[in-house]
Amino acid sequence: MKRREFIKLSGWSTGSVLAGSTVLAFLASCRKHDMGGMNMNGEPVEVIEGAFTKLLPIPQEATATAPLTAQAVSANISGNNVAALGYSANGILGPTIRLNQGGNVNINFRNALSEKTNIHWHGLKIPAAMDGHPESIVNAGSSFNFLFPVTQRAALCWYHPHADGTTAKQVANGLAGLFIINDSEESSLNLPSGSNELPLVIQDKKLTASGIQYNPAGDEIMTGYIGETVMVNGAASPYAEVATRYYRLRILNGSNARIYNLALSNNANFVVIGNEGGLLPQPVSTKFVLLSPGERLDVLVNFAGQAVGSEVFLESRAFTGAGTAQGQQSFRIMKFKVTQQVNDSFVVPSTLSTITPLSASAASRTRTFTLDVMQMSGGMNMGGMHQINGKVYDAMRIDETVAAGALELWEFDNQTDEPHPMHLHGVQFQVLQRTGGRNQLLPSEGGWKDTVLLLPKEKVRILVPFGNERGVFVMHCHNLEHEEDGMMLQFEIV
Ligand code: C2O
Ligand code: CU
Ligand code: CU
């Protein structure tokens, strides 16, 4: 019996053994009902801002052939050193791996943790055997050689652990890193680079004097694990010094569950130039971007016109429609301190890339995925509450079989009162339509994506060109507590 099924059976029938059919009947009666009248969407966790006096750390860059070791590290997140996890001895997180399109990854990965882990390359179109499937584990003390070519276009991807049962905890404790692909199309645009290109990994943590806490209670499985400390690149409430020019911000929401409604305190525009799968066809200006766990954003921000000495904050503004635990508060994430007057000749290109829109009529089939949650009351903490098509993740079951190279239309239907950022491994897709809820697509949802947010009662249709590499991949909610709770299915490309 799988652990999750055991918890499901044992959690609420202390001392008695229920026959399978009784269990099914009871589970069916729970579905979609709030049996005790409790608010199961959860309470928000208030962000406590720091002083914005710590300089923004920039993760070291590494080549795609440098080894990585998952290990216990000491990290200075907000003043004192705490225990965390990292992919190098330097501290929390991992190096930013950078390589050119056409290059090869050849990374010797060692697991120096005391439990299983692995690495999933989020956003990369690579063979299933290299993708970090939840069952492709690297045991404590073991190593694995990740070896694969990177053929896709320029993009900001990332890597993180993905072993079944330890993903959410290990990510929360610090295991994550950026993976940047460059190509000639992107470099011909002469976008801000070097110290004018800032990677920003945004993550919230529950932090105490003894370190990062990770011990989700039942209601935190419903909301996802949300913390009071918001850090960027491993530092709480940091600041960066900027000059009066354009910067390129490469943003990852690497949080377990928290969604940010990004904005600038001076109400300046973000010029969105890309997302998970790389550049958009044209830049789009917007003042707000809702960014959910797993999603990335490539934006230009112009500090020209700001007086030396002025300060601009990257903020998250309150938002609605995302359930009771999210969006209730506006808070500041990091500070940009304008310290230098320069002349900037950069002009935002009017065209960035060419993206041919896929057509729904070309899809060979449509699959529907209903996101559902079984609401229980009385503080019963059982597994498997978050489901897709009435199922929780089972490594022994292939849920969908997809023909290699097929173009398919996948529809997600969020019937719950919680947000769910849905993510597919091994592909980049186009978002076709959102109905219900916000009833529209955001400017940041054009181009190619690998994660798409569904707020409560939303339906989202995506067009997915599957690759030719055969093998088993997963798709799941990137609220990592939902994922660990079973909101994940397997698809096999045959
Ligand atoms: Cu970043 Cu399976 O995910
Ligand atoms: Cu992924
Ligand atoms: Cu979810």
Side-chain angles (χ1 to χ4, degrees):
M1 183 182 288
K2 287 211 59 188
R3 176 186 55 88
R4 206 169 268 128
E5 287 158 355
F6 175 73
I7 296 168
K8 187 190 291 179
L9 291 170
S10 62
W12 43 270
S13 63
T14 321
S16 71
V17 177
L18 296 183
S21 58
T22 315
V23 171
L24 289 178
F26 182 75
L27 293 181
S29 77
C30 299
R31 177 149 333 153
K32 288 192 224 155
H33 295 286
D34 183 347
M35 296 179 72
M38 251 175 74
N39 169 18
M40 291 302 285
N41 298 318
E43 295 295 318
V45 176
E46 203 185 333
V47 167
I48 301 174
E49 293 177 0
F52 301 98
T53 50
K54 194 176 161 134
L55 191 63
L56 175 77
I58 303 293
Q60 267 177 22
E61 288 205 356
T63 67
T65 55
L68 293 175
T69 302
Q71 58 193 285
V73 298
S74 157
N76 191 318
I77 295 172
S78 65
N80 33 33
N81 288 325
V82 297
L85 301 179
Y87 284 111
S88 71
N90 294 332
I92 195 167
L93 301 173
T96 298
I97 298 167
R98 197 186 271 275
L99 95 171
N100 290 319
Q101 180 185 34
N104 288 298
V105 166
N106 185 353
I107 293 178
N108 257 308
F109 171 61
R110 197 165 68 82
N111 178 5
L113 307 175
S114 54
E115 62 182 13
K116 68 177 177 180
T117 188
N118 69 5
I119 297 183
H120 165 56
W121 309 92
H122 182 137
L124 293 182
K125 302 198 263 188
I126 55 176
M130 293 292 149
D131 180 65
H133 183 282
E135 315 305 322
S136 306
I137 59 169
V138 181
N139 284 312
S142 301
S143 295
F144 185 82
N145 182 221
F146 286 99
L147 194 60
F148 54 84
V150 175
T151 56
Q152 72 203 72
R153 66 203 287 258
L156 171 65
C157 297
W158 65 301
Y159 59 98
H160 62 79
H162 216 305
D164 184 33
T166 60
T167 300
K169 178 179 70 170
Q170 291 175 357
V171 172
N173 280 299
L175 288 180
L178 298 177
F179 191 106
I180 296 179
I181 308 165
N182 293 120
D183 67 11
S184 54
E185 177 188 53
E186 178 202 38
S187 63
S188 72
L189 297 172
N190 287 310
L191 298 168
S193 62
S195 58
N196 303 321
E197 179 188 14
L198 297 177
L200 304 177
V201 179
I202 304 175
Q203 298 176 300
D204 63 333
K205 303 286 172 195
K206 271 196 188 182
L207 200 64
T208 67
S210 53
I212 299 168
Q213 305 300 305
Y214 190 76
N215 47 6
D219 58 338
E220 289 170 319
I221 293 174
M222 301 310 291
T223 58
Y225 203 65
I226 302 177
E228 79 299 323
T229 301
V230 177
M231 38 179 241
V232 185
N233 299 345
S237 304
Y239 77 95
E241 297 189 339
V242 295
T244 55
R245 53 159 299 134
Y246 271 104
Y247 282 77
R248 182 182 186 188
L249 309 182
R250 315 291 305 264
I251 304 175
L252 161 69
N253 181 352
S255 308
N256 278 40
R258 194 185 275 279
I259 299 167
Y260 304 88
N261 186 23
L262 298 176
L264 293 163
S265 59
N266 61 351
N267 291 314
N269 280 328
F270 291 120
V271 182
V272 181
I273 59 170
N275 49 18
E276 292 98 273
L279 294 168
L280 300 179
Q282 289 98 27
V284 210
S285 291
T286 179
K287 294 199 186 301
F288 306 99
V289 180
L290 203 61
L291 199 71
S292 66
E295 286 187 300
R296 284 89 74 202
L297 191 65
D298 194 349
V299 289
L300 301 172
V301 170
N302 193 2
F303 294 103
Q306 304 293 315
V308 168
S310 58
E311 298 177 342
V312 178
F313 288 86
L314 177 65
E315 305 180 330
S316 178
R317 301 274 177 88
F319 53 96
T320 56
T324 54
Q326 300 260 16
Q328 307 297 315
Q329 183 195 3
S330 295
F331 53 86
R332 300 180 295 183
I333 297 171
M334 69 169 287
K335 178 164 89 176
F336 296 100
K337 217 160 121 178
V338 182
T339 55
Q340 205 195 342
Q341 178 75 44
V342 295
N343 288 321
D344 185 12
S345 58
F346 176 75
V347 178
V348 177
S350 54
T351 301
L352 301 167
S353 184
T354 308
I355 291 175
T356 309
L358 299 169
S359 142
S361 60
S364 59
R365 63 176 286 182
T366 298
R367 300 180 203 248
T368 307
F369 299 94
T370 302
L371 313 180
D372 210 348
V373 62
M374 198 184 316
Q375 301 204 334
M376 299 299 295
S377 64
M380 284 177 287
N381 182 3
M382 42 180 244
M385 292 178 287
H386 292 87
Q387 306 180 339
I388 304 174
N389 287 345
K391 298 184 282 190
V392 293
Y393 171 68
D394 183 345
M396 302 307 288
R397 186 190 66 224
I398 299 296
D399 299 283
E400 308 293 334
T401 303
V402 177
L407 172 69
E408 295 198 358
L409 194 161
W410 283 24
E411 178 179 301
F412 296 102
D413 182 358
N414 181 5
Q415 303 192 343
T416 79
D417 297 324
E418 302 171 331
H420 302 288
M422 298 305 296
H423 167 55
L424 273 67
H425 283 210
V427 296
Q428 291 287 339
F429 53 74
Q430 292 184 3
V431 186
L432 187 62
Q433 186 188 39
R434 175 182 285 110
T435 52
R438 292 170 286 168
N439 244 306
Q440 58 177 355
L441 300 181
L442 304 185
S444 52
E445 292 178 316
W448 294 102
K449 285 177 66 64
D450 60 44
T451 307
V452 64
L453 175 63
L454 284 95
L455 289 183
K457 312 306 177 199
E458 289 183 349
K459 250 188 215 180
V460 167
R461 293 190 172 93
I462 62 174
L463 284 164
V464 195
F466 287 91
N468 288 309
E469 297 272 5
R470 283 146 175 89
V472 178
F473 295 88
V474 291
M475 65 96 150
H476 58 89
C477 177
H478 220 288
N479 176 313
L480 294 180
E481 285 66 43
H482 292 179
E483 184 241 57
E484 297 279 30
D485 190 44
M487 201 168 215
M488 172 160 69
L489 299 184
Q490 300 192 92
F491 62 93
E492 181 169 12
I493 299 184
V494 297

